[in-house]
Each structure stands twice: as C-alpha cells, then as structure tokens.
Amino acid sequence: MSQSRAGIDLETSLGYLLKETSSALRTAMETVLRPLGMTITHYSCLELLAQRPGLSSSELARGTFVTRQSMNVLLQALERDGLVTRPEQPAAGRVLPTELTAAGRAQRAAASAAVREVELRMTSGLDAAEQAQLGQLLSRCGAALREPGPESPQP
Amino acid sequence: MSQSRAGIDLETSLGYLLKETSSALRTAMETVLRPLGMTITHYSCLELLAQRPGLSSSELARGTFVTRQSMNVLLQALERDGLVTRPEQPAAGRVLPTELTAAGRAQRAAASAAVREVELRMTSGLDAAEQAQLGQLLSRCGAALREPGPESPQP
DNA sequence: GAAGATATGTCAGACTACTGACATGAGTCA
DNA sequence: TGACTCATGTCAGTAGTCTGACATATCTTC
C-alpha cells in the first residue's frame, strides 16, 4: 500500500492548504504592520475596539483568537502607550470595558488602510460570487470544527 | 460616514474569516495532538518527512511555515528523542538530509490518524465538488498574496 | 439564604517562534 | 582565479503566547 494510506496527503489536504493560505496572509499582514510598529494581535485589538467600543478583555481575546491572559498583557501595553483606556473600577461585575483613545483611533486608521490593501490583493483574483462562495465554505468548515468532536459517548 | 469606511468590516472580511477558520483548525489539532505529546509543528515535521524523506532543515521549515531557526531547534529535540536522524557530515554543500526513525514513523502514524479525523470533521459538511472549489479558491488567494505587493516602483 | 457552576481579571512561569548575526559551501560571472 | 550572490546551518537574545493558578463577581439551583 501507499505510504500514507490512513493519513494525510499533503498534496490534496484542505487542512494543509488552509494553513498555507493563512500563513501567507499572516506574513503579508506582518509585512505591512511592522513599519507601523504593530503586531497582528495588536492591530486586531484596535480594529475590534473601533467597531465594537467597550468590549472587555475576555471578549477581545475571543475576537482575536488568543487567550485572555495574552490579551491582558497586550492591553496593559496599549494602555501604557495611551492607545486605549479602561476604568479603574468595574462598572458591573469584574468587566472592564475598553475604549480607544484619539491616538488609538489614529493608529487603527493607518493600520486598517494598510491591511485593507493586503486583503484586496488576496481577493483580487476572485469575483463577487467566488468571494461569497469562499466565505460560505470557510464558515461551514469553521462551524463543523467547533462542533464537539468524538468525545466520551456516554453521559 | 460609517465608522470603518476605509477599513475592514469584520462582519464580511474574508481575511478575518480565514483567520477564524484556521484558528478553529489549529485548536482542534492541538486538542488531539496534545495527548500524544506533540505540537502542530512537531507533527507537521514528521508528516512531511514521511512523505518526502531526506528533506533538509530549511526545506522542512518552508513546508511547515516556520523559520529555519525554529525548525533547527525542533530537529535537535526530535533527534535527541530518537525520532529522526541526520548525518554528522553533509553529503553535499551544507545540507543535512533528515530521515525518520522507526519510532518517528510510529509516532507520525498515530498522529496522522488523529489529524485525519479532524480534517474529516472539518470537511464533513462539504461534498466533493465543494471541497474541490474550496481548494481552488484558497490556492488562488495564496498565490495572489505571495505575488510582490506594491513596492518601490523604480528599479 | 447557601452552595455550586460559570465568567472575568490578574499574576507567574514556561514554551514556542521570531529577529539578528555569523560562518560555510555552491553557483555565477567577469 | 577571484569577487559576488545566494542558500544553508547554527548560535544568541528577544518577543509573543501559552498553561497553571488564584481571587472575585454573577447567576443558578435548591
């Protein structure tokens, strides 16, 4: 039999292709964000706050696909650099709603324009229908992955 | 005007969706690889070596989307643990062709089966035509990203 | 009201991957 | 032959993210 009968064929694996494509996107984004002094998570955090002001640290972590511990470290740096503000006392529960400062909005605007160029280049070869289809297929793959896997069958 | 006129709309951004989906895949793979004592890069390296024996450290790095420095550190650990072997002297140039040991092949086989389950779950909701289309679209996006971006126009 | 489950914010330590730098070997070209 | 360019392997230091752990606040549930 072939050498990878029960395994993964890298030539045709959608998982490998997905990783390859997202790696290319990550590299392209790092290339344009580095001159602005920002990492991808740094930018993602500002972008999320621009579109949904008042998000908590944990919500930002989920939206940027890192742990809340990592987001906490990042937010401390962003606060120190005057890009975001958080109240000293929680308004309700333990949640500290975060807001962009003027400097944060300015930095986000510059980065957002640069990232938009990257995304446009990525999708430049796809027409509107193909872009919609790609979004559809990716969404369905993501939803399938988030479903509970083959766990312990018995309750 | 709207708050993100010249930027990215996270609700419809293909870049964000791509990151979200690959993050879900990464999490799912880590979940099944952790009980085996392997990271994703660790597994990817063994999988690559199983399908293309004799790859060099730099080639493995490119195939797993990390730097050759990171791959070097990993290979030293894999060699110490008896999963791969490298000749002490380069056969030609500086290249050290890497091979799996029996233990490495065994570990790769176990991991490959687990990862295959994850990939099957990811694509379980897609028929053959949709899977082919997804591969097509991802490939074209990746190719567009790897093209040289808007650099200095003059030579 | 008390007990448990869940979610959040935070601190500390460890790990992974990265950038920067250097030496070495191979190929190119004048 | 010699200079130049490029790719590889490696070492050292740094940065970003992770896991583990704890305290606190809210919401159920009895």
Tab-separated table of all heavy atoms in Angstrom, chain C residues 14-25:
chain	number	residue	atom	x	y	z
C	14	DA	P	9.760	28.102	35.296
C	14	DA	OP1	10.255	26.897	35.974
C	14	DA	OP2	10.664	29.260	35.055
C	14	DA	O5'	9.142	27.667	33.885
C	14	DA	C5'	7.995	26.817	33.889
C	14	DA	C4'	7.568	26.518	32.457
C	14	DA	O4'	6.896	27.681	31.915
C	14	DA	C3'	8.734	26.192	31.523
C	14	DA	O3'	8.424	25.035	30.762
C	14	DA	C2'	8.862	27.434	30.651
C	14	DA	C1'	7.454	28.023	30.665
C	14	DA	N9	7.429	29.490	30.561
C	14	DA	C8	8.148	30.367	31.313
C	14	DA	N7	7.928	31.626	31.005
C	14	DA	C5	6.991	31.558	29.990
C	14	DA	C6	6.336	32.557	29.229
C	14	DA	N6	6.558	33.858	29.386
C	14	DA	N1	5.459	32.148	28.290
C	14	DA	C2	5.253	30.840	28.127
C	14	DA	N3	5.798	29.813	28.785
C	14	DA	C4	6.670	30.252	29.710
C	15	DC	P	9.514	24.413	29.738
C	15	DC	OP1	9.566	22.956	29.966
C	15	DC	OP2	10.755	25.213	29.816
C	15	DC	O5'	8.815	24.683	28.337
C	15	DC	C5'	7.392	24.701	28.265
C	15	DC	C4'	6.932	25.325	26.959
C	15	DC	O4'	6.884	26.762	27.088
C	15	DC	C3'	7.856	25.022	25.774
C	15	DC	O3'	7.057	24.574	24.694
C	15	DC	C2'	8.515	26.362	25.485
C	15	DC	C1'	7.457	27.352	25.937
C	15	DC	N1	7.997	28.685	26.314
C	15	DC	C2	7.451	29.832	25.727
C	15	DC	O2	6.545	29.709	24.897
C	15	DC	N3	7.939	31.046	26.082
C	15	DC	C4	8.920	31.138	26.981
C	15	DC	N4	9.356	32.362	27.290
C	15	DC	C5	9.482	29.979	27.585
C	15	DC	C6	8.999	28.787	27.232
C	16	DT	P	7.763	23.729	23.466
C	16	DT	OP1	7.014	22.473	23.294
C	16	DT	OP2	9.231	23.720	23.659
C	16	DT	O5'	7.435	24.680	22.229
C	16	DT	C5'	6.133	25.226	22.094
C	16	DT	C4'	6.162	26.450	21.194
C	16	DT	O4'	6.712	27.564	21.922
C	16	DT	C3'	7.012	26.285	19.941
C	16	DT	O3'	6.181	26.428	18.808
C	16	DT	C2'	8.076	27.388	20.050
C	16	DT	C1'	7.468	28.356	21.039
C	16	DT	N1	8.448	29.108	21.863
C	16	DT	C2	8.414	30.490	21.868
C	16	DT	O2	7.614	31.133	21.201
C	16	DT	N3	9.354	31.097	22.667
C	16	DT	C4	10.306	30.474	23.447
C	16	DT	O4	11.093	31.117	24.116
C	16	DT	C5	10.282	29.022	23.395
C	16	DT	C7	11.276	28.263	24.203
C	16	DT	C6	9.371	28.420	22.622
C	17	DA	P	6.792	26.217	17.320
C	17	DA	OP1	5.685	25.757	16.462
C	17	DA	OP2	8.030	25.415	17.420
C	17	DA	O5'	7.192	27.683	16.872
C	17	DA	C5'	6.211	28.684	16.888
C	17	DA	C4'	6.843	30.040	16.665
C	17	DA	O4'	7.624	30.391	17.815
C	17	DA	C3'	7.798	30.076	15.463
C	17	DA	O3'	7.348	31.031	14.528
C	17	DA	C2'	9.149	30.456	16.050
C	17	DA	C1'	8.785	31.063	17.387
C	17	DA	N9	9.830	30.864	18.389
C	17	DA	C8	10.395	29.682	18.766
C	17	DA	N7	11.324	29.804	19.688
C	17	DA	C5	11.367	31.166	19.932
C	17	DA	C6	12.136	31.943	20.799
C	17	DA	N6	13.057	31.441	21.614
C	17	DA	N1	11.936	33.276	20.791
C	17	DA	C2	11.011	33.796	19.960
C	17	DA	N3	10.225	33.164	19.104
C	17	DA	C4	10.443	31.830	19.136
C	18	DC	P	8.212	31.406	13.240
C	18	DC	OP1	7.230	31.688	12.178
C	18	DC	OP2	9.226	30.368	13.047
C	18	DC	O5'	8.926	32.788	13.625
C	18	DC	C5'	8.131	33.890	14.058
C	18	DC	C4'	9.010	34.996	14.613
C	18	DC	O4'	9.655	34.511	15.797
C	18	DC	C3'	10.115	35.418	13.663
C	18	DC	O3'	9.789	36.637	13.034
C	18	DC	C2'	11.351	35.567	14.536
C	18	DC	C1'	10.940	35.104	15.904
C	18	DC	N1	11.879	34.091	16.441
C	18	DC	C2	12.858	34.485	17.368
C	18	DC	O2	12.905	35.651	17.719
C	18	DC	N3	13.722	33.561	17.848
C	18	DC	C4	13.628	32.288	17.434
C	18	DC	N4	14.489	31.412	17.938
C	18	DC	C5	12.646	31.879	16.495
C	18	DC	C6	11.799	32.802	16.016
C	19	DT	P	10.777	37.170	11.884
C	19	DT	OP1	10.002	38.142	11.087
C	19	DT	OP2	11.413	36.013	11.241
C	19	DT	O5'	11.922	37.954	12.675
C	19	DT	C5'	11.603	39.079	13.486
C	19	DT	C4'	12.864	39.667	14.089
C	19	DT	O4'	13.500	38.692	14.946
C	19	DT	C3'	13.919	40.085	13.047
C	19	DT	O3'	14.415	41.378	13.368
C	19	DT	C2'	14.993	39.015	13.163
C	19	DT	C1'	14.873	38.567	14.606
C	19	DT	N1	15.259	37.148	14.823
C	19	DT	C2	16.263	36.850	15.718
C	19	DT	O2	16.876	37.693	16.338
C	19	DT	N3	16.522	35.505	15.844
C	19	DT	C4	15.899	34.462	15.185
C	19	DT	O4	16.230	33.298	15.384
C	19	DT	C5	14.862	34.851	14.265
C	19	DT	C7	14.114	33.811	13.506
C	19	DT	C6	14.590	36.153	14.130
C	20	DG	P	15.467	42.086	12.368
C	20	DG	OP1	15.296	43.548	12.553
C	20	DG	OP2	15.317	41.493	11.028
C	20	DG	O5'	16.907	41.665	12.944
C	20	DG	C5'	17.215	41.925	14.294
C	20	DG	C4'	18.619	41.438	14.627
C	20	DG	O4'	18.604	40.004	14.860
C	20	DG	C3'	19.659	41.682	13.525
C	20	DG	O3'	20.815	42.296	14.088
C	20	DG	C2'	19.946	40.294	12.981
C	20	DG	C1'	19.697	39.410	14.201
C	20	DG	N9	19.350	38.030	13.893
C	20	DG	C8	18.378	37.596	13.021
C	20	DG	N7	18.288	36.293	12.952
C	20	DG	C5	19.271	35.836	13.824
C	20	DG	C6	19.649	34.516	14.161
C	20	DG	O6	19.178	33.457	13.754
C	20	DG	N1	20.685	34.505	15.090
C	20	DG	C2	21.286	35.618	15.621
C	20	DG	N2	22.272	35.424	16.491
C	20	DG	N3	20.941	36.860	15.306
C	20	DG	C4	19.929	36.898	14.410
C	21	DA	P	22.042	42.756	13.154
C	21	DA	OP1	22.660	43.939	13.811
C	21	DA	OP2	21.552	42.840	11.760
C	21	DA	O5'	23.070	41.535	13.252
C	21	DA	C5'	23.480	41.073	14.535
C	21	DA	C4'	24.308	39.803	14.378
C	21	DA	O4'	23.423	38.701	14.060
C	21	DA	C3'	25.355	39.865	13.257
C	21	DA	O3'	26.653	39.791	13.816
C	21	DA	C2'	25.041	38.652	12.383
C	21	DA	C1'	24.139	37.794	13.267
C	21	DA	N9	23.168	36.977	12.534
C	21	DA	C8	22.207	37.421	11.667
C	21	DA	N7	21.468	36.449	11.146
C	21	DA	C5	21.993	35.306	11.706
C	21	DA	C6	21.661	33.949	11.565
C	21	DA	N6	20.686	33.511	10.783
C	21	DA	N1	22.388	33.050	12.273
C	21	DA	C2	23.374	33.495	13.057
C	21	DA	N3	23.775	34.739	13.275
C	21	DA	C4	23.040	35.612	12.565
C	22	DC	P	27.930	40.074	12.878
C	22	DC	OP1	28.942	40.741	13.712
C	22	DC	OP2	27.474	40.683	11.609
C	22	DC	O5'	28.439	38.602	12.559
C	22	DC	C5'	28.711	37.711	13.636
C	22	DC	C4'	28.893	36.302	13.097
C	22	DC	O4'	27.617	35.794	12.647
C	22	DC	C3'	29.833	36.209	11.892
C	22	DC	O3'	31.033	35.541	12.269
C	22	DC	C2'	29.044	35.427	10.842
C	22	DC	C1'	27.878	34.851	11.637
C	22	DC	N1	26.638	34.679	10.835
C	22	DC	C2	26.111	33.396	10.642
C	22	DC	O2	26.685	32.437	11.142
C	22	DC	N3	24.994	33.247	9.889
C	22	DC	C4	24.390	34.308	9.360
C	22	DC	N4	23.288	34.118	8.641
C	22	DC	C5	24.917	35.618	9.541
C	22	DC	C6	26.023	35.761	10.270
C	23	DA	P	32.237	35.415	11.229
C	23	DA	OP1	33.495	35.531	11.995
C	23	DA	OP2	31.995	36.304	10.074
C	23	DA	O5'	32.091	33.920	10.739
C	23	DA	C5'	32.004	32.867	11.707
C	23	DA	C4'	31.745	31.539	11.005
C	23	DA	O4'	30.391	31.529	10.502
C	23	DA	C3'	32.665	31.268	9.801
C	23	DA	O3'	33.139	29.932	9.857
C	23	DA	C2'	31.779	31.533	8.602
C	23	DA	C1'	30.394	31.159	9.136
C	23	DA	N9	29.296	31.875	8.477
C	23	DA	C8	29.192	33.218	8.272
C	23	DA	N7	28.097	33.577	7.655
C	23	DA	C5	27.425	32.383	7.439
C	23	DA	C6	26.195	32.084	6.825
C	23	DA	N6	25.389	33.012	6.294
C	23	DA	N1	25.825	30.797	6.777
C	23	DA	C2	26.635	29.868	7.302
C	23	DA	N3	27.814	30.026	7.906
C	23	DA	C4	28.157	31.324	7.947
C	24	DT	P	34.166	29.430	8.713
C	24	DT	OP1	35.102	28.489	9.347
C	24	DT	OP2	34.670	30.616	7.986
C	24	DT	O5'	33.226	28.609	7.726
C	24	DT	C5'	32.444	27.539	8.249
C	24	DT	C4'	31.551	26.966	7.152
C	24	DT	O4'	30.531	27.935	6.802
C	24	DT	C3'	32.281	26.637	5.846
C	24	DT	O3'	31.958	25.320	5.448
C	24	DT	C2'	31.756	27.684	4.862
C	24	DT	C1'	30.367	27.936	5.417
C	24	DT	N1	29.759	29.229	5.022
C	24	DT	C2	28.529	29.229	4.404
C	24	DT	O2	27.911	28.208	4.176
C	24	DT	N3	28.060	30.478	4.073
C	24	DT	C4	28.676	31.690	4.284
C	24	DT	O4	28.162	32.744	3.940
C	24	DT	C5	29.963	31.618	4.926
C	24	DT	C7	30.722	32.875	5.195
C	24	DT	C6	30.445	30.404	5.260
C	25	DG	P	32.982	24.489	4.501
C	25	DG	OP1	33.151	23.143	5.083
C	25	DG	OP2	34.155	25.348	4.243
C	25	DG	O5'	32.169	24.341	3.131
C	25	DG	C5'	31.050	23.483	3.094
C	25	DG	C4'	30.124	23.881	1.962
C	25	DG	O4'	29.734	25.261	2.142
C	25	DG	C3'	30.739	23.779	0.560
C	25	DG	O3'	30.022	22.808	-0.206
C	25	DG	C2'	30.597	25.189	-0.020
C	25	DG	C1'	29.553	25.839	0.873
C	25	DG	N9	29.701	27.276	1.026
C	25	DG	C8	30.735	27.940	1.623
C	25	DG	N7	30.601	29.245	1.620
C	25	DG	C5	29.393	29.452	0.976
C	25	DG	C6	28.711	30.650	0.676
C	25	DG	O6	29.049	31.805	0.919
C	25	DG	N1	27.502	30.394	0.010
C	25	DG	C2	27.028	29.151	-0.312
C	25	DG	N2	25.867	29.106	-0.942
C	25	DG	N3	27.656	28.031	-0.036
C	25	DG	C4	28.816	28.242	0.606
